[in-house]
Amino acid sequence: NAGVTQTPKFQVLKTGQSMTLQCAQDMNHEYMSWYRQDPGMGLRLIHYSVGAGITDQGEVPNGYNVSRSTTEDFPLRLLSAAPSQTSVYFCASSYSGLAGAVYEQYFGPGTRLTVT
Amino acid sequence: DAKTTQPNSMESNEEEPVHLPCNHSTISGTDYIHWYRQLPSQGPEYVIHGLTSNVNNRMASLAIAEDRKSSTLILHRATLRDAAVYYCILRDLNFGNEKLTFGTGTRLTIIP
């Protein structure tokens, strides 16, 4: 298994540009999520999905859109990039079961985004 | 959400045990205690989790206080590869969701 893959690894955008960060997993996980990590800080949840066709907002959703048309893919779209969105973005996935079940989350290697 | 408190940083000598503490005084009865770590320039990786009893796996041990208000991640014999930021996270499974709330964690430095 390739696990969780993210593309691109690095990206530089100008303010106002849009782009899509790609995330894919080959483990048949129902749950997928996007985090951002700013320097010296922990990860903050942007959006998440508990299955194809179902998405919800996390802690910091503004300026980002997601959709989940397949189990494998969960792209993150930046609508109009701003310097405040300069960060490292991580995608994660896990099984999603009944309440009370515990599954570990698998994280991708990250995309380092700079907005000038 | 219940919060966790961890020291900002710790140092340990290589090949010695490391005890990483975590306080979670407002933990609820349905909160699991999870530990993840983040190696430099990588995404976080799962280490261990527990509810009430102490837990062991190939990576580490988790010791949970009897009142569950604190826990300790134990690396039995630290190597240079264990240098990372360690996150202690509480997750309420009553709602059947997998959201993780990360704090700033403990940065562990291993001294050769």
Side-chain angles (χ1 to χ4, degrees):
Chain A
N1 287 349
V4 179
T5 57
Q6 292 184 236
T7 55
K9 284 188 167 43
F10 301 95
Q11 183 70 49
V12 178
L13 290 178
K14 289 184 168 29
T15 297
Q17 287 184 317
S18 62
M19 79 158 295
T20 299
L21 307 185
Q22 301 292 345
C23 174
Q25 52 89 12
D26 60 357
M27 296 173 281
N28 203 31
H29 286 165
E30 300 92 348
Y31 180 84
M32 296 185 74
S33 58
W34 277 101
Y35 294 86
R36 61 176 287 174
Q37 184 173 35
D38 299 324
M41 297 182 67
L43 282 72
R44 291 184 292 170
L45 184 65
I46 304 172
H47 285 285
Y48 65 98
S49 168
V50 298
I54 305 169
T55 64
D56 206 347
Q57 297 181 349
E59 181 186 355
V60 288
N62 292 341
Y64 308 95
N65 269 359
V66 292
S67 60
R68 184 99 178 267
S69 55
T70 67
T71 299
E72 296 78 18
D73 301 298
F74 190 43
L76 177 73
R77 280 182 286 279
L78 278 70
L79 309 171
S80 176
S84 60
Q85 293 179 305
T86 294
S87 190
V88 181
Y89 291 84
F90 291 100
C91 179
S93 75
S94 75
Y95 290 111
S96 176
L98 299 172
V102 179
Y103 303 105
E104 66 178 278
Q105 290 199 20
Y106 295 83
F107 285 79
T111 294
R112 188 173 296 272
L113 176 68
T114 301
V115 183
T116 61
Chain B
D1 290 342
K3 289 197 168 185
T4 63
T5 303
Q6 300 177 254
N8 287 336
S9 62
M10 291 183 63
E11 287 185 349
S12 181
N13 293 323
E14 192 178 10
E15 298 187 5
E16 290 187 356
V18 181
H19 287 65
L20 296 163
C22 181
N23 285 325
H24 27 79
S25 58
T26 59
I27 191 170
S28 75
T30 53
D31 281 333
Y32 275 82
I33 302 160
H34 294 251
W35 285 82
Y36 280 74
R37 73 178 185 180
Q38 187 174 20
L39 302 174
S41 300
Q42 294 189 28
E45 64 176 346
Y46 168 83
V47 177
I48 200 167
H49 75 271
L51 183 62
T52 56
S53 304
N54 294 344
V55 185
N56 301 302
N57 67 19
R58 64 175 179 81
M59 288 180 70
S61 295
L62 177 60
I64 301 172
E66 196 168 334
D67 63 4
R68 301 210 323 127
K69 293 185 186 300
S70 65
S71 60
T72 302
L73 179 70
I74 302 165
L75 308 178
H76 294 286
R77 196 165 167 267
T79 69
L80 295 177
R81 197 195 172 275
D82 291 319
V85 178
Y86 287 78
Y87 297 98
C88 171
I89 299 167
L90 301 182
R91 216 174 91 201
D92 185 345
L93 293 183
N94 258 342
F95 304 103
N97 71 67
E98 287 70 32
K99 288 189 284 184
L100 299 177
T101 301
F102 287 82
T104 52
T106 296
R107 182 174 299 277
L108 176 64
T109 300
I110 304 298
I111 302 168

